[in-house]
Amino acid sequence: MPGQVRWPFLLVLLACSVCSGQAAARAEGFGPLPVRNFQPIQLLFLGMPGDRAEVLKKGRLDVRIELAETSTIFNERMASARAVMKFEQLRSGVFLRYGLTDQLEIGVEVPGLYRYRGFLEGVITATERATTGLSPARAALRDSGFAYDLTVRGQSRFSGTDGDLGLGDTILLGKYQFLSQRALLPAVSLRLAVKTPTGGEGKFFGSGHPDVGIGLAAEKTMAGRWIFYGNVNGVFPTGRAGGFALRPFMSAIAAVEYLWSKDLSLTAQFDYYSTPFHGTGLKPLDRGVTESAVGFTYRLRPNVLWQVYGVENLDFIRDSAADFTLSTVVTYRFDRER
């Protein structure tokens, strides 16, 4: 489905966030949107969320609570394989980060997953009909409330039922900043991550095997109010998933944040994810994902940040991305200097 279909919805989301246009002194950036590949099957593997290069100062602790609602719809039917998916998945995560030194931070993320019929169907359907028309997959599955069945040669590889609830795979992260921002140089950090198999493999809330990831994060402030971010990551999955062999894959983001004031920023972002699958014959598995995201970050209190963002699939790569994701994040910072 064309990526511009729900941009009016995302623009309204941004417009609602802008409550003041007053100029302000240079404000501290809040970082890129913490997106990952929310497509339910590719979410089984390690996702290194969008992150800034700057690390937490020594002794600081961040506690982040995130809720991400993802609508997914596929209707691919062939002689030897089929992928029929229509549901929403709520990913709720608790993410802790701690500054060990002024150059090194560590973190852990524990997610929970809930798969059900959802509530975005009406808004998405109305928006599609008002713009480019109902997508073929949504039209074909309009009488289906919940569907999740991916079959190859008569064998079910991935499936689920309405109301499935469980723990996802836990992620351990570390980030070392080896370059500070200078007049002509960006800040750059090395990122490491390990996914541990704590998720329910039987309900496909986890891959059942560990993954390892390595990446770089960079950021650069320009003209006082504009901050540019870039991430590139390589992930090495282990084992098999759904009976399929896996291969290394990558992710990358490019984002720009505009500091509206010291308490409010607006962010636009492009995301790319390759896939660990190859040769399955199904587009939701074999193809990567390209997405755009927009959102805002608002400082509710000196140590409390609130963030809202939406993720829309693009047509650079077709028929593989989740349909739409809406997320809200609250971060509380414990600072020993306060």
Side-chain angles (χ1 to χ4, degrees):
M1 169 180 170
Q4 69 270 22
V5 170
R6 284 181 293 279
W7 275 114
F9 175 74
L10 296 180
L11 291 176
V12 169
L13 180 150
L14 277 179
C16 291
S17 74
V18 180
C19 58
S20 171
Q22 297 177 351
R26 176 176 172 177
E28 179 186 359
F30 300 114
L33 304 173
V35 299
R36 68 193 74 216
N37 188 351
F38 287 107
Q39 200 250 62
I41 296 177
Q42 297 188 25
L43 186 63
L44 295 174
F45 308 99
L46 173 64
M48 297 175 69
D51 200 3
R52 64 185 311 173
E54 296 286 346
V55 299
L56 293 180
K57 297 303 180 183
K58 181 178 180 180
R60 289 183 176 176
L61 172 67
D62 273 8
V63 179
R64 187 171 78 192
I65 308 296
E66 180 176 15
L67 299 175
E69 180 79 10
T70 300
S71 172
T72 298
I73 185 164
F74 297 112
N75 186 41
E76 185 177 6
R77 302 172 189 262
M78 298 179 296
S80 60
R82 54 175 271 167
V84 180
M85 301 171 63
K86 182 187 177 185
F87 59 86
E88 292 181 23
Q89 184 165 282
L90 176 64
R91 184 183 190 276
S92 55
V94 179
F95 185 19
L96 307 179
R97 299 191 306 165
Y98 180 73
L100 279 180
T101 73
D102 286 344
Q103 290 181 282
L104 176 65
E105 73 173 46
I106 58 174
V108 58
E109 183 181 32
V110 182
L113 299 168
Y114 177 53
R115 192 181 297 133
Y116 68 123
R117 297 188 178 203
F119 63 89
L120 294 175
E121 171 75 9
V123 174
I124 294 174
T125 298
T127 305
E128 288 183 354
R129 285 175 173 165
T131 51
T132 60
L134 203 62
S135 68
R138 199 168 296 279
L141 299 176
R142 62 180 177 271
D143 295 327
S144 175
F146 182 99
Y148 186 9
D149 182 28
L150 193 150
T151 302
V152 177
R153 292 185 290 275
Q155 182 180 0
S156 179
R157 300 299 184 94
F158 297 97
S159 62
T161 58
D162 191 1
D164 281 347
L165 173 68
L167 185 68
D169 287 339
T170 299
I171 301 175
L172 308 175
L173 302 104
K175 184 170 63 175
Y176 177 75
Q177 184 178 347
F178 61 87
L179 187 63
S180 298
Q181 187 169 178
R182 306 264 169 81
L184 298 178
L185 295 176
V188 183
S189 289
L190 175 69
R191 305 175 69 197
L192 296 173
V194 176
K195 179 178 74 68
T196 63
T198 58
E201 185 180 4
K203 293 185 177 181
F204 300 105
F205 286 149
S207 68
H209 303 278
D211 301 337
V212 177
I214 184 171
L216 292 173
E219 67 177 88
K220 184 71 174 74
T221 301
M222 301 183 68
R225 290 180 178 270
W226 297 90
I227 306 179
F228 295 85
Y229 303 96
N231 290 179
V232 61
N233 309 296
V235 178
F236 303 87
T238 64
R240 300 171 70 90
F244 297 114
L246 307 172
R247 63 180 182 179
F249 61 97
M250 68 162 293
S251 65
I253 71 163
V256 56
E257 179 181 22
Y258 176 70
L259 306 178
W260 184 276
S261 73
K262 66 181 180 64
D263 293 324
L264 174 67
S265 75
L266 310 178
T267 302
Q269 192 163 303
F270 171 79
D271 316 310
Y272 168 74
Y273 313 93
S274 66
T275 173
F277 298 101
H278 176 69
T280 71
L282 290 168
K283 296 175 184 177
L285 300 186
D286 290 344
R287 295 187 175 183
V289 169
T290 52
E291 297 178 322
S292 57
V294 295
F296 70 87
T297 303
Y298 184 70
R299 192 189 305 273
L300 295 172
R301 300 182 63 180
N303 58 339
V304 181
L305 295 180
W306 177 45
Q307 191 171 58
V308 175
Y309 65 88
V311 183
E312 169 70 12
N313 65 296
L314 298 175
D315 281 340
F316 300 151
I317 303 175
R318 297 179 62 89
D319 304 320
S320 56
D323 200 32
F324 182 70
T325 296
L326 182 63
S327 179
T328 184
V329 185
V330 175
T331 301
Y332 187 92
R333 172 165 296 176
F334 295 89
D335 193 337
R336 69 177 186 177
E337 297 176 1
R338 291 187 181 280

